[in-house]
Amino acid sequence: MILDSKSPIGPLAEKWTKHKFNSKLVNPANKRKYEVIVVGTGLAGASAAASLAELGYKVKAFCFQDSPRRAHSIAAQGGINAAKNYQNDGDSVYRLFYDTIKGGDYRSRESNVYRLAEVSVNIIDQCVAQGVPFAREYGGLLANRSFGGAQVSRTFYARGQTGQQLLLGAYSALSRQVANGKVKLYPRTEMMDVVTIDGHARGIVTRNLITGAIETHAAHAVLLCTGGYGNVFFLSTNAMGSNVTAAWRAHKKGAYFANPCYTQIHPTCIPVSGDHQSKLTLMSESLRNDGRVWVPKTVELAQKLRKGEIKPRDIKDEDRDYYLERKYPSFGNLVPRDVASRNAKDVCDENRGVNETGQAVFLDFRDAINRDSEDAIRARYGNLFDMYQQITGENPYQTPMKIYPAVHYTMGGLWVDYNLSTTVPGLYSLGEANFSDHGANRLGASALMQGLADGYFVVPYTIGDYLAQIGPAPVDANHPEFAKAEKGVKDAIQKLLSINGTKTVDHFHKALGHIMWEYCGMARNAEGLTKAKGMIQELRKEFWRDVKVLGANEELNQTLEKASRVADFLELGELMVDDALNRSESCGGHFRLESQTPDGEALRDDENFAYAAAWEFMAENSPETLHKEPLVFENVKLTQRSYK
């Protein structure tokens, strides 16, 4: 298959407007004849379901949580980007486009990224109209702050809980449509497979997480808004329920999976404290507006810190290494996440880490408190400081925070074209579940922007073009493909239940996470990746031979839920390693040790790797086939990324 991005021709700034005009429309009276399934009710899913229902379509929305308000979008802290230029500091749609392309290390599609920047300005107006309580300046205007990879202030925020407030806005819009009878909501229901008829997506198979009932649902189109796959690493900042199952099952039904090795390691997270942990906690990137990152200049001082012989405040300024400010004077502590994370790893590898394990650096607010007062810092970050103190027992107003990188976001995902359609007609992917906008590294505060852009302002236009072409004839829910898919799901569940091995699901998940972090984490090389591939293959064989899944299907069975998800993670993990092995360059969050500049920065190979890697599933236990979408840059010059 030749990958057709369907990017419109013509000037960059006119592409989206012309594309909307050229797309076919569905008559308002005909919209009620179409049914659309939305899987996932985070920012992308809730906004898409609400918008499509408002247009008149009949929508079914599915989430495995007990309420859409528990979607992981709620955990986003720092803010949402938009090119409003309220600060009059030189921002523009084009600058946001450029910063995003550069931040992703020139590995994203120009047309999609420009559209994202273009519709960002509408998102803020939409959310304000919904009552989202964005922070405001003294005069009442919406406030902005800075985030990594930008030299302007374009991030709108609601203290340290922006994701929660945005999700409540989308949830209110969704609830209105539920009350109007336009959306039927299915909570505590997990998608287990996609149903395809003649190559088109025509429904899904689900499992009721309370009763275990396996059901099928038919529709004219299916939208996957199911988030990322960071939990393949076991420890991440994602909610424990976050998984890849919906996207992976779609992949095995024909949807290509793009750039799976592009994972984001967030530089400011509370460090790992022991083997007992099941997840990690994010400390918002917004803290780097006022917090300064440092470690001791010498190994001797770091060792004294780790032994408790001295306190951070005992170390004089001349003995501190503010390494981001030293190496990147133009951006300082607000370099992009991949750069900040790699530098934190480097100083800890030099044995200058500051906690007991040596895997932490300081994020210090002493100077900001002296400059602006403790009350001012409390007003900006109070809930984040409280959360840190409750978890660590340390007061960040009095002693520096200890932070270390952790898995946070995945830039890879289902391949989609300009319409957000996967390679399976009728199957769309929105938000973090797709690969489209962030290249090899996402800039901070852009995840919320993409999720809401896709749901509110992109898919309501592009899905109409597809639906108008297929017509409103009802989908036959009795087609043999539905029964076939349902049987496949039941057989897979029975297979898991019948193994009756000796090891827990978490045992295998932790083992996989360790392999992924060690060999496919912040730094990668051919030797380690080759070793990891063999280790994952052996682990997967052991899983299907010796995993123990208690209970039955016809009940609330969280062990069964986890086993099904970990089985998919084991397959995805191998594809991530294959993708990282194939891409022997370094770019963004994908750092190959064999490909770096003399001063240790990521060194791209544009001649051989300026493409999106889209993998096609062939058969069980068979290698996947690589397809390449060339990335053409007509408006941005490919250069070595520098934040110095």
Side-chain angles (χ1 to χ4, degrees), residues 484-539:
K484 180 181 176 182
E486 182 179 342
K487 182 180 184 299
V489 168
K490 289 179 177 178
D491 289 347
I493 289 172
Q494 192 54 45
K495 183 179 179 181
L496 285 168
L497 290 169
S498 65
I499 296 171
N500 197 30
T502 63
K503 294 176 181 174
T504 66
V505 176
D506 278 351
H507 165 83
F508 291 100
H509 198 177
K510 287 180 179 179
L512 174 63
H514 179 75
I515 295 168
M516 298 302 296
W517 181 253
E518 288 297 316
Y519 302 109
C520 198
M522 276 191 282
R524 306 154 179 187
N525 60 37
E527 180 184 0
L529 290 166
T530 303
K531 180 180 179 181
K533 182 177 174 68
M535 294 173 72
I536 294 170
Q537 289 175 337
E538 289 303 314
L539 186 66

Side-chain angles (χ1 to χ4, degrees), residues 251 256-257 575 614-618 622-627:
H251 173 53
Y256 291 6
F257 209 102
L575 182 61
W615 295 87
E616 179 185 5
F617 178 82
M618 304 306 293
S622 296
E624 300 214 359
T625 298
L626 172 62
H627 301 266

Side-chain angles (χ1 to χ4, degrees), residues 423-453:
T423 48
V424 177
L427 181 66
Y428 293 77
S429 183
L430 283 64
E432 190 179 354
N434 74 33
F435 91 108
S436 64
D437 293 343
H438 305 296
N441 174 66
R442 177 177 66 78
L443 291 185
S446 288
L448 305 183
M449 174 175 63
Q450 187 209 347
L452 292 179

Side-chain angles (χ1 to χ4, degrees), residues 215-278:
E215 299 174 335
T216 58
H217 300 268
H220 293 88
V222 177
L223 277 57
L224 299 184
C225 314
T226 51
Y229 49 88
N231 276 351
V232 69
F233 290 86
F234 185 71
L235 286 180
S236 79
T237 65
N238 290 183
M240 287 182 64
S242 298
N243 63 82
V244 75
T245 290
W248 192 251
R249 304 291 169 87
H251 173 53
K252 295 174 82 167
K253 281 294 182 74
Y256 291 6
F257 209 102
N259 302 334
C261 77
Y262 288 171
T263 54
Q264 179 162 88
I265 315 292
H266 197 295
T268 52
C269 302
I270 297 178
V272 175
S273 60
D275 291 337
H276 62 282
Q277 284 179 274
S278 55

Side-chain angles (χ1 to χ4, degrees), residues 290-291 364-374 377 380:
D290 291 299
D364 197 340
F365 294 85
R366 180 199 64 182
D367 294 345
I369 289 173
N370 291 339
R371 181 186 69 234
D372 296 335
S373 80
E374 182 175 319
I377 299 302
R380 290 174 202 159

